[in-house]
Amino acid sequence: MKSYNVRIWKISTRKDGLNNHMVRWVVEGKVFTEHFSTWELADSFRAGLKKAAQNGEAFDTATGMPDSKSRTHSTVTWYAHACDYVDARWSKVSGRQRISIAETLAAITPLLVRDRRGAPNPQVLRSALYQWAFNKQHRDTDKPHEIAEALVWITNASVLVADLAEYDRITTALDACARKMDGTAAAPSYYSRRRRVLFNVLRYAVFKKRLVKNPLSEELDWKAPETEVCEEIDPAVVASPEQVHELLTAVSYSGWRRGDRLVAFFACMYYAMMRPSEVTALRREDCTLPEKGWGRLLLSGSAPTVGTKWTDNGQAHEQRGLKGRPRKAKRIIPIPPVLVAILRAHMQRHGVAPDGRLFRTERGGVLYKSGYVRTWKTARALALTPSQAASQLAKRPYDLRHAGVSLRLNAGVPATQVAQWAGHSVEVLLKIYAKCIDGQDHVWHTMLDGALGIDLNQADQDKETKEE
């Protein structure tokens, strides 16, 4: 809140203490003080306050500072502050979070400049920011000449952090959060993730006294662009049990070196509703596989693909806990006999890794996303009709998880139970996953025909009774 109701008192001096010269002033009835080691410093500060009041500047009732002092409070540029934030958070966050921070800052930073004279190619600048500037481990490594020049330019062109208090600057940053690289509107979840990063970067600026307050803490007269992206799962991508069976069969002969090793991998995503990173981390001791009947999986971790540049040990995968859960949390999933049989056959045929992992490459390494995605594409072309293969049906391996969740919901399993097995909140489950299975309309038609048939038969009987 701003106010012009300002009174500035005389400098008061004490004879003891280091900072014994005090400037005191009142903004809208609230008293503020600053202490200085010499009378000259105190007088200079007081003169600045008086000049701002005489020039008709508004004073902030929260900080007591005039607008001019709030804007010049920090001489740190946005680019330097963003690098500082990355370094401060690096050791505290996962590889995926590091990537999210770098991606967001690489989208925002090119727009927060004083002018664009001499600006490098946008793609070069974005690459320089994402792969070098906002990657603590990679920042000081050798760079191509054009990358180094791009970073010199942004260093000199970046606006001050304090400028983000201005409406035009902060809304420019929000616009960058709400749009994809091609300029189209991003999905709401994508924008929300970026906005959270921006909010935390600005909160860090307040903590470092580079901003008086976080501009995103107050309601802004700004609205994210409308998007046609639907975050609910398209029913067209959800495969039926029969289609999944055909796809898993096709996987077994989609490459003699890799295909047969991945049948159980994809089966876990469907029959156990597991994420790919959770299947990658699955170990023999996590599985209870009886000879008959239902089994059980006890999940305790995941191994998401991050990339060697974003992990501390230089590995492409990092060992993490379950998504959205405390580090040592576990999740129990009952698995049907069909998956029990598939997993038992997989271990009998391929064994397990020395550390107990069920799924690995032919040489014992961790599975890469690029490898199993190629196998899935081959399997789709073999198992589906040409029209289905050209559609969105089971387009990605992750769609198997969607199909597994939808299968249970449509079978009548309570949403609370399905959410617990899938590792989701009930709210997210019902909003995102509760969709019909492709090709299952005949089930609902039969149920409705039965209901309508009872009503029609009763109507015919009533009509015959009246005629008699």
Side-chain angles (χ1 to χ4, degrees):
M1 182 178 175
K2 305 291 185 179
S3 175
Y4 296 93
N5 182 14
V6 180
R7 286 191 299 127
I8 303 170
W9 295 355
K10 292 181 179 180
I11 300 172
S12 61
T13 302
R14 295 180 304 176
K15 292 184 179 181
D16 56 338
L18 296 175
N19 297 321
N20 53 0
H21 301 280
M22 182 178 69
V23 177
R24 186 165 51 169
W25 71 105
V26 181
V27 178
E28 199 64 39
K30 186 176 180 180
V31 179
F32 297 90
T33 59
E34 286 285 345
H35 297 266
F36 300 90
S37 58
T38 66
W39 189 90
E40 289 77 13
L41 289 174
D43 185 56
S44 175
F45 180 81
R46 181 175 181 273
L49 295 179
K50 289 186 65 177
K51 183 178 179 180
Q54 291 168 357
N55 291 339
E57 289 187 34
F59 282 61
D60 193 307
T61 57
T63 64
M65 293 295 182
D67 286 343
S68 57
K69 282 191 175 292
S70 295
R71 287 193 297 269
T72 59
H73 186 66
S74 172
T75 59
V76 178
T77 65
W78 166 261
Y79 171 70
H81 172 72
C83 291
D84 186 22
Y85 176 79
V86 168
D87 293 350
R89 294 294 296 162
W90 190 266
S91 63
K92 301 179 179 67
V93 298
S94 67
R96 286 284 180 89
Q97 288 173 299
R98 293 170 182 176
I99 291 174
S100 181
I101 291 171
E103 182 188 62
T104 300
L105 294 177
I108 293 172
T109 303
L111 301 180
L112 298 179
V113 294
R114 292 189 295 274
D115 62 69
R116 303 200 60 80
R117 286 178 294 182
N121 179 280
Q123 292 184 346
V124 172
L125 178 57
R126 197 181 187 101
S127 177
L129 293 171
Y130 177 73
Q131 298 190 42
W132 275 272
F134 301 138
N135 185 316
K136 182 182 179 181
Q137 295 180 163
H138 204 217
R139 186 182 301 142
D140 297 328
T141 59
D142 293 337
K143 308 174 184 65
H145 179 68
E146 61 180 4
I147 295 294
E149 284 192 335
L151 293 179
V152 170
W153 180 84
I154 194 65
T155 299
N156 297 324
S158 182
V159 301
L160 298 177
V161 177
D163 290 343
L164 271 293
E166 299 176 2
Y167 176 82
D168 289 343
R169 294 296 190 189
I170 190 60
T171 53
T172 295
L174 289 172
D175 283 333
C177 292
R179 296 190 181 279
K180 297 185 289 187
M181 287 185 64
D182 59 6
T184 59
S189 60
Y190 190 72
Y191 162 68
S192 297
R193 184 169 64 250
R194 284 185 166 186
R195 190 186 186 281
R196 283 195 298 271
V197 173
L198 176 60
F199 182 91
N200 289 332
V201 176
L202 295 172
R203 184 171 62 177
Y204 182 70
V206 175
F207 173 77
K208 298 290 285 188
K209 300 187 183 304
R210 295 165 184 171
L211 265 178
V212 175
K213 60 181 177 181
N214 191 333
L216 293 184
S217 296
E218 298 181 353
E219 185 175 350
L220 293 170
D221 185 18
W222 180 89
K223 183 181 179 182
E226 295 291 337
T227 175
E228 295 181 356
V229 177
C230 179
E231 297 196 289
E232 296 180 345
I233 300 304
D234 184 351
V237 310
V238 181
S240 68
E242 294 80 7
Q243 290 167 336
V244 172
H245 176 74
E246 292 296 329
L247 285 163
L248 293 179
T249 301
V251 168
S252 66
Y253 47 86
S254 296
W256 65 273
R257 296 178 61 183
R258 185 189 298 126
D260 191 56
R261 289 177 171 272
L262 291 176
V263 174
F265 180 88
F266 293 125
C268 285
M269 295 179 64
Y270 177 66
Y271 292 112
M273 303 173 291
M274 295 172 67
R275 300 178 177 90
S277 60
E278 295 169 346
V279 185
T280 301
L282 188 64
R283 300 175 187 273
R284 177 64 185 90
E285 56 266 30
D286 301 331
C287 308
T288 301
L289 306 173
E291 292 187 6
K292 294 183 179 180
W294 283 65
R296 189 185 74 166
L297 301 181
L298 179 63
L299 307 188
S300 59
S302 63
T305 303
V306 177
T308 57
K309 293 181 180 179
W310 303 97
T311 57
D312 294 326
N313 58 9
Q315 300 295 319
H317 297 77
E318 63 176 354
Q319 299 302 316
R320 304 292 301 174
L322 298 174
K323 183 177 180 181
R325 303 286 184 93
R327 182 65 180 88
K328 296 184 179 181
K330 299 181 184 295
R331 190 169 91 241
I332 298 174
I333 307 175
I335 58 174
V338 60
L339 180 57
V340 172
I342 290 174
L343 289 175
R344 289 174 64 91
H346 174 84
M347 286 187 285
Q348 184 176 2
R349 183 178 179 86
H350 302 290
V352 298
D355 61 358
R357 284 180 295 114
L358 267 63
F359 303 106
R360 63 199 192 284
T361 64
E362 192 176 26
R363 297 182 179 179
V366 180
L367 292 177
Y368 279 82
K369 180 179 179 180
S370 57
Y372 67 73
V373 166
R374 284 198 300 271
T375 300
W376 185 250
K377 288 182 178 179
T378 302
R380 286 186 78 252
L382 293 172
L384 303 179
T385 66
S387 61
Q388 289 174 333
S391 71
Q392 296 298 310
L393 177 64
K395 189 76 172 179
R396 308 170 303 156
Y398 207 97
D399 292 330
L400 289 169
R401 173 172 156 86
H402 301 328
V405 173
S406 296
L407 173 67
R408 285 160 176 78
L409 291 172
N410 286 324
V413 180
T416 51
Q417 184 62 71
V418 178
Q420 181 180 331
W421 291 338
H424 272 299
S425 68
V426 176
E427 179 185 5
V428 170
L429 184 84
L430 295 178
K431 178 181 178 182
I432 303 296
Y433 290 97
K435 291 296 179 181
C436 295
I437 300 173
D438 181 72
Q440 292 292 298
D441 285 348
H442 67 277
V443 176
W444 318 127
H445 293 168
T446 301
M447 293 175 63
L448 289 171
D449 285 343
L452 291 172
I454 293 174
D455 291 340
L456 291 173
N457 290 336
Q458 185 65 45
D460 290 340
Q461 292 176 8
D462 292 343
K463 184 177 179 181
E464 290 177 1
T465 300
K466 290 181 177 179
E467 290 177 352
E468 291 176 358

